[in-house]
Amino acid sequence: MNREKYVTHYVENAVKIVQTEISSVRKKDIIKTSARLYDGVNMGVAGALGLCDEEALFERAKESLKLKISYPYAPADNLQREERFESDLQDESVLLEETADILERLREQQPKFSFSHIFKCSKLESSIENDFGLKLRSCRESISLSLVIKDKSSSNIIDAVTGYEGRKFSKKGFLDLTNMICDAFSNQINEFTDGTYPVVFSSDDVTYLKKFYETLHGMMFGSGSSLLSGKIGRQVFSPDFTLYQTRRAEDGFPGAFFDSEGTVNPDDRFALIEDGVLIAPYTDKKTSSTFKLPLTGAAGGEYDGLPELRLPLLKIKESEKTAKQLLNDRMGIFVLIASGGDFTPDGHFASPVQLAFLFDGERFVGRLPELSINSSLQEMFGRNFVGVSKNDFFGLENTKVAVMNMSVERLRK
Amino acid sequence: MYKFPEGLYSDVRIENVFKSDIVVTLGNLDNMKEQQYSAAFIRVFDGKRWYYSSTTDCKSIQQELDKLAQMAQYNSTIERNAVVEKFEVNTGTYLNFDGERDISNFSLDRKLELLRNYFPHLKNELIKFWRAQYIDQRVVKDFYSSKGASLTFDYQRVGFRLLYQMVHEQEQFMDRFDVAGNEISVLEGLSEEIDKRVASSEYFIRNATPVVPGNYTVVLSPEAAGVFAHESFGHKSEADFMLGDEMMMSEWKIGKKVGSDNLSIIDDGNLPGVGFVSFDDEGTRARETYLIKNGILAGRLHSAETAASLDEGLTGNARAVNFEYEPVVRMTATYITPGKLSFAELLSGIETGIYVDTLNHGSGMSTFTLAPNQAFMIRNGKIAEPVKIAVVSGSVFKTLGEIDATTKEFKMLSFALGGCGKMEQYPLPVSFGGPYVRVRSLNVQ
């Protein structure tokens, strides 16, 4: 019987903010260990929280083999690799000081608004090793600054949001972004004519990508239940559209470069759609084997269970253009908050947009009235797809934008 | 039990967790597991700031308390702090799900068998993909505070979901049957209901056409009405959103008329279901709280901090999603109270309208949204053809005033998977429900 051990160790320091004041400080330090036994037919698993007796854990994994959960897939083998991505802010007292400083500046610079939510610095260490020569280790640190913005003269719970996540602490960039949002929010633009516009999303906004999580789900795809089933190798979207499943640190993926089965991709990502051609849905070993699909390394799962197919991080390939160049002298509609919209089963998309800004490609100009956006999966990533910018906002990591033409109208209530 | 640091308020919440999980996809067992662990969340308050830590090593709780105390400022008057004065001091053991009701006494095989019994009901030529998941969780919480609270209480959730995707010619349709409660008996004898659901999904995929967008009179099922109440109004009742916010305080003043005379909304952690929370995570007993009573704003949901800040009473709504997090103001079981009409009476008089039966999700800001799964036209007072709708939306403030009728028929719902999300804490189990509700005008896309 062969052994495999998968361990994650998550450490976090967080400062919570309420009404532009520090309200609390929180520490977390959580270890999760997964002990796996392979007998070539089934897998037994046992998991533990915190420090544990590993031998006892493997004994429990042996017991769980009796459940006969089939797992006849070859384990990852003969690969050693280690990575470490550090952030430049991990000290809790520095985090507290910097938070206090940022809040003081916001109180001075944006007295009409109040700010709440959380700043965090975290570190995730992951490792997987087995009897087959697999030994992979990852350590990724990150910083996350996230604030909900409230106009003091409004009776809404949330009026706007700001934030970023990355490895470099950029106080100036964060403040510049937040000030831009607040200033634009205060500049209400009431005139709006319904029509087709370039609509701009943060590149990691799931609002417009969510249908891919369903249509590229390997099990759904393989069983013939996806809109894209049976279309591998076909040109289904724009030749400018490439969609990756990614575990790259540079793409803002906070976890390890390997999935929970130890699968590693070249360049830590897999193109599911390349130049508009469907290559593969996302899969784990079971899905890949069951439906004879390429293995893309999308296994996740709980620490105390077998690996299973999980939603990966999807990223669209960036273009060679800035946001301004993508807009090509037009003004765009930047969707900051689009809550509650969805796709129909046949791919039609509609959503209210609670907060949209007029966007010149570099700055938010003013706040538009509440809008409604409409399109379809085929159009958004087909003939109406414009591209993803190569530049970030104010030098903040992971703040690229995606542009596509959509039908936009004033929201009727 | 613990030496609480002087000059500070502190509390310790220990969670003793049992849970099981069974997943079967297309007839193949993917996962079957049981897990037990104990972990703790520790809080210290010095009157100005809270300090939190979580640990999976319950033997180190005293150390964690001491470390947090080092970070805080000694406060000789902490006992007279308004927040500290608010905390209830409850002692004793209150177990609702022990003995025969304790889900940990049932074997995994029994649970798998229960789930397997329902697989034949997914044999439908249109179903190309399905997944069945059984989950349960029993948490016995021990709560101790420097004010003298010494309390043991429990929470239990048992449920399953059958998720399936149908394909008919070029059409796809995903639907689910999801049920949960506090005991395994709630999951038995559901074959007929599952058959009904699958049949309705088949009817939908074979016949649904895209809706003509526009403004319509909309009738919400109890599921849709419950989600509407939760998303559009429930979150606004969570008092932490109002702290220090004079504008919200004046807009949401107790006694203000905010809805139709026939509208009342209640939150109550005493109701059976996944929102049953006999004590919250600050050791406060659950209460029935009217949020709206006959169209008038009647109350808010509180933690000790928000209750002290707004000088209102505790409501038992401080909840944490698990041991890694601090309690924040959350809902428990939220519902619109029933009315007087029958369903047929509610529909009569609607020449052209929409009936929203089941949902994918909802959200609530100034504009609330409901993303329907199954929806139907209403024509001349009767349910008519099924329609595909991406989203139904409306202004929260306006819609509360546009509810013009409700039925006497009423249902509370609890789901096995998913839950409420608030900031970083997701998913928190909540129940929701109501009667069938008629709304004069909503935007449908």
Side-chain angles (χ1 to χ4, degrees):
Chain A
M1 224 165 332
N2 293 295
R3 291 183 166 201
E4 186 169 271
K5 186 175 73 171
Y6 184 83
V7 182
T8 62
H9 184 186
Y10 179 73
V11 174
E12 177 193 282
N13 288 296
V15 179
K16 284 194 76 175
I17 297 145
V18 175
Q19 296 284 330
T20 330
E21 297 281 354
I22 294 173
S23 73
S24 61
V25 169
R26 187 181 73 202
K27 300 172 74 61
K28 251 191 232 195
D29 189 333
I30 311 282
I31 299 176
K32 296 180 181 176
T33 304
S34 180
R36 302 165 176 173
L37 283 176
Y38 294 83
D39 66 5
V41 177
N42 302 312
M43 183 192 274
V45 184
L49 272 182
L51 296 173
C52 65
D53 177 340
E54 281 187 16
E55 281 311 307
L57 199 63
F58 276 104
E59 279 303 307
R60 279 177 43 209
K62 197 170 165 191
E63 275 302 300
S64 104
L65 267 173
K66 295 176 185 169
L67 296 173
K68 292 193 181 341
I69 303 177
S70 173
Y71 192 90
Y73 318 108
D77 63 356
N78 294 316
L79 182 65
Q80 292 94 49
R81 179 178 153 190
E82 201 163 324
E83 67 165 17
R84 186 176 181 86
F85 288 92
E86 291 181 351
S87 71
D88 56 10
L89 198 171
Q90 283 291 303
D91 185 287
E92 62 202 70
S93 52
V94 174
L95 176 67
L96 195 55
E97 272 167 35
E98 293 289 8
T99 304
D101 187 51
I102 287 173
L103 295 180
E104 190 177 332
R105 288 169 196 249
L106 287 175
R107 284 192 292 269
E108 282 166 25
Q109 292 167 14
Q110 299 293 344
K112 279 181 48 184
F113 296 93
S114 65
F115 302 86
S116 303
H117 197 25
I118 195 165
F119 290 175
K120 289 195 270 204
C121 51
S122 60
K123 177 168 73 173
L124 177 62
E125 293 172 295
S126 313
S127 67
I128 187 169
E129 51 190 282
N130 66 22
D131 291 343
F132 303 97
L134 183 74
K135 193 168 179 174
L136 306 174
R137 287 183 195 289
S138 162
C139 176
R140 291 187 182 178
E141 296 177 349
S142 70
I143 303 159
S144 166
L145 307 187
S146 174
L147 290 175
V148 159
I149 303 173
K150 170 104 173 43
D151 177 352
K152 289 180 183 173
S153 66
S154 133
S155 54
N156 291 330
I157 292 175
I158 296 174
D159 288 304
V161 293
T162 183
Y164 83 100
E165 188 165 333
R167 291 196 305 283
K168 293 189 189 43
F169 175 62
S170 173
K171 183 158 48 180
K172 182 180 183 312
F174 177 76
L175 284 166
D176 286 344
L177 174 66
T178 305
N179 281 324
M180 180 182 70
I181 290 170
C182 293
D183 292 344
F185 187 93
S186 300
N187 179 23
Q188 176 76 65
I189 298 170
N190 288 314
E191 294 297 318
F192 183 80
T193 306
D194 297 352
T196 300
Y197 291 89
V199 173
V200 185
F201 296 94
S202 297
S203 64
D204 58 358
D205 188 340
V206 296
T207 305
Y208 71 105
L209 280 175
K210 66 195 297 190
K211 193 65 170 173
F212 283 119
Y213 286 103
E214 177 196 313
T215 55
L216 291 175
H217 185 285
M219 281 276 172
M220 302 269 290
F221 184 97
S223 59
S225 325
S226 160
L227 278 179
L228 297 175
S229 290
K231 296 182 180 173
I232 286 184
R234 284 171 47 180
Q235 184 83 38
V236 287
F237 297 112
S238 163
D240 296 327
F241 178 69
T242 292
L243 183 71
Y244 295 111
Q245 165 207 302
T246 181
R247 300 186 78 93
R248 288 186 352 148
E250 296 86 342
D251 290 334
F253 185 74
F257 59 90
F258 49 90
D259 76 354
S260 69
E261 291 178 318
T263 301
V264 179
N265 286 313
D267 203 27
D268 298 335
R269 61 185 183 180
F270 191 106
L272 303 176
I273 298 170
E274 191 156 36
D275 304 326
V277 175
L278 180 59
I279 306 298
Y282 56 89
T283 60
D284 60 354
K285 287 180 182 176
K286 174 179 271 188
T287 314
S288 166
S289 169
T290 304
F291 296 109
K292 310 281 183 286
L293 293 165
L295 174 63
T296 72
E302 299 293 325
Y303 69 98
D304 58 347
L306 273 76
E308 52 188 24
L309 185 62
R310 284 288 165 103
L311 305 186
L313 178 65
L314 298 179
K315 271 276 196 222
I316 304 175
K317 184 182 175 184
E318 292 137 27
S319 69
E320 294 299 315
K321 297 182 179 178
T322 63
K324 197 164 179 70
Q325 289 166 335
L326 287 172
L327 287 176
N328 198 24
D329 292 330
R330 295 172 300 170
M331 295 293 269
I333 294 176
F334 195 108
V335 171
L336 196 64
I337 301 177
S339 177
D342 212 337
F343 288 83
T344 60
D346 47 10
H348 179 79
F349 173 75
S351 183
V353 179
Q354 289 85 358
L355 180 61
F357 291 120
L358 196 62
F359 178 52
D360 67 6
E362 288 171 340
R363 296 195 64 81
F364 299 153
V365 172
R367 173 166 55 120
L368 292 162
E370 285 194 44
L371 302 170
S372 161
I373 52 178
N374 291 276
S375 187
S376 70
L377 185 73
Q378 202 51 54
E379 289 187 347
M380 286 158 73
F381 302 99
R383 64 190 179 100
N384 285 337
F385 180 72
V386 178
V388 171
S389 64
K390 68 175 184 180
N391 60 317
D392 290 306
F393 263 133
F394 303 108
L396 294 169
E397 296 156 272
N398 306 307
T399 56
K400 295 180 177 34
V401 300
V403 183
M404 54 197 68
N405 293 312
M406 296 174 100
S407 168
V408 187
E409 53 188 43
R410 192 184 280 261
L411 185 68
R412 280 152 190 74
K413 293 199 206 183
Chain B
M1 180 150 195
Y2 299 106
K3 187 169 179 304
F4 292 106
E6 298 204 356
L8 298 166
Y9 168 82
S10 4
D11 61 39
V12 173
R13 180 180 93 242
I14 301 171
E15 300 196 358
N16 305 290
V17 178
F18 170 88
K19 50 191 205 165
S20 29
D21 190 354
I22 301 171
V23 181
V24 178
T25 304
L26 294 168
N28 298 310
L29 186 62
D30 294 329
N31 254 305
M32 187 153 86
K33 53 186 166 122
E34 273 178 358
Q35 177 67 257
Q36 284 196 115
Y37 63 86
S38 295
F41 192 85
I42 301 111
R43 306 195 301 173
V44 165
F45 180 56
D46 61 13
K48 286 206 171 102
R49 198 173 280 179
W50 287 91
Y51 300 84
Y52 305 134
S53 171
S54 53
T55 180
T56 52
D57 177 11
C58 290
K59 294 196 195 72
S60 74
I61 289 173
Q62 186 64 58
Q63 252 178 290
E64 293 296 322
L65 264 170
D66 296 338
K67 267 197 267 181
L68 291 177
Q70 295 281 323
M71 297 166 70
Q73 301 281 323
Y74 178 89
N75 181 345
S76 60
T77 62
I78 190 68
E79 283 168 17
R80 294 197 297 280
N81 177 280
V83 175
V84 176
E85 283 188 330
K86 270 292 179 198
F87 286 116
E88 276 185 2
V89 181
N90 288 305
T91 59
T93 298
Y94 303 86
L95 297 178
N96 290 286
F97 306 109
D98 56 344
E100 282 177 3
R101 304 178 78 186
D102 182 350
I103 198 63
S104 66
N105 290 331
F106 295 84
S107 68
L108 270 179
D109 283 340
R110 160 103 193 255
K111 295 164 186 174
L112 178 60
E113 195 53 38
L114 180 148
L115 195 63
R116 271 207 170 115
N117 280 340
Y118 295 124
F119 293 174
H121 299 274
L122 296 176
K123 280 194 170 56
N124 179 298
E125 59 170 336
L126 300 188
I127 292 178
K128 303 299 180 205
F129 171 84
W130 63 267
R131 162 167 287 160
Q133 185 166 3
Y134 167 94
I135 60 102
D136 65 42
Q137 185 187 50
R138 179 160 186 255
V139 188
V140 177
K141 298 189 189 185
D142 300 314
F143 181 81
Y144 306 96
S145 80
S146 54
K147 274 184 78 171
S150 175
L151 180 62
T152 297
F153 59 99
D154 61 354
Y155 171 84
Q156 184 159 283
R157 176 191 195 187
V158 183
F160 73 85
R161 174 181 284 192
L162 305 175
L163 177 76
Y164 52 92
Q165 175 91 327
M166 288 185 165
V167 179
H168 170 61
E169 294 169 1
Q170 302 305 315
E171 303 284 333
Q172 277 95 20
F173 182 61
M174 183 174 284
D175 210 343
R176 62 185 184 271
F177 182 88
D178 188 320
V179 66
N182 301 121
E183 296 181 69
I184 203 163
S185 57
V186 164
L187 309 184
E188 290 162 344
L190 296 172
S191 297
E192 211 176 295
E193 285 187 48
I194 295 170
D195 285 340
K196 249 174 86 173
R197 184 56 175 256
V198 171
S200 78
S201 307
E202 181 172 350
Y203 179 76
F204 192 87
I205 192 176
R206 286 186 188 279
N207 297 288
T209 53
V211 74
V212 174
N215 275 27
Y216 290 90
T217 295
V218 176
V219 170
L220 304 176
S221 68
E223 175 180 330
V227 171
F228 165 73
H230 176 104
E231 292 294 351
S232 70
F233 195 74
H235 281 296
K236 283 184 175 49
S237 305
E238 292 167 343
D240 52 351
F241 283 125
M242 288 187 199
L243 285 187
D245 190 328
E246 287 173 19
M247 186 59 170
M248 274 198 82
M249 284 301 303
S250 76
E251 277 289 317
W252 292 97
K253 213 176 158 98
I254 302 291
K256 178 179 172 172
K257 183 137 175 73
V258 294
S260 330
D261 292 347
N262 57 4
L263 178 68
S264 294
I265 299 179
I266 292 173
D267 182 274
D268 187 356
N270 293 300
L271 292 186
V274 302
F276 176 79
V277 175
S278 56
F279 291 87
D280 75 7
D281 290 322
E282 290 185 326
T284 304
R285 224 179 245 287
R287 280 133 165 91
E288 176 191 78
T289 304
Y290 268 87
L291 303 179
I292 298 181
K293 192 166 194 172
N294 303 324
I296 308 283
L297 192 62
R300 286 183 260 270
L301 303 177
H302 284 296
S303 63
E305 186 168 21
T306 63
S309 175
L310 300 179
D311 197 23
E312 294 176 2
L314 289 173
T315 58
N317 287 89
R319 300 178 66 190
V321 71
N322 62 40
F323 78 91
E324 295 183 40
Y325 293 94
E326 66 280 12
V328 295
V329 183
R330 305 300 296 267
M331 286 173 266
T332 56
T334 315
Y335 62 96
I336 297 175
T337 56
K340 295 185 171 20
L341 302 183
S342 68
F343 186 51
E345 285 167 340
L346 195 81
L347 293 180
S348 70
I350 300 175
E351 201 180 306
T352 310
I354 302 273
Y355 169 59
V356 176
D357 188 17
T358 57
L359 295 180
N360 287 322
H361 54 80
S363 77
M365 294 179 64
S366 58
T367 299
F368 77 88
T369 66
L370 299 171
N373 198 32
Q374 289 196 30
F376 300 82
M377 293 305 296
I378 300 170
R379 298 197 190 281
N380 302 315
K382 298 261 188 290
I383 304 289
E385 74 276 19
V387 280
K388 296 182 226 181
I389 298 174
V391 62
V392 174
S393 59
S395 151
V396 170
F397 299 109
K398 196 168 158 228
T399 300
L400 289 174
E402 299 241 314
I403 292 173
D404 67 358
T406 52
T407 60
K408 49 183 182 253
E409 192 182 338
F410 169 91
K411 200 171 171 190
M412 281 301 288
L413 293 107
S414 286
F415 292 144
L417 300 183
C420 174
K422 179 170 174 174
M423 302 300 187
E424 52 176 354
Q425 295 201 35
Y426 170 84
L428 186 76
V430 291
S431 310
F432 48 85
Y436 293 87
V437 170
R438 188 172 71 205
V439 186
R440 274 191 293 269
S441 178
L442 288 173
N443 183 251
V444 177
Q445 294 172 266

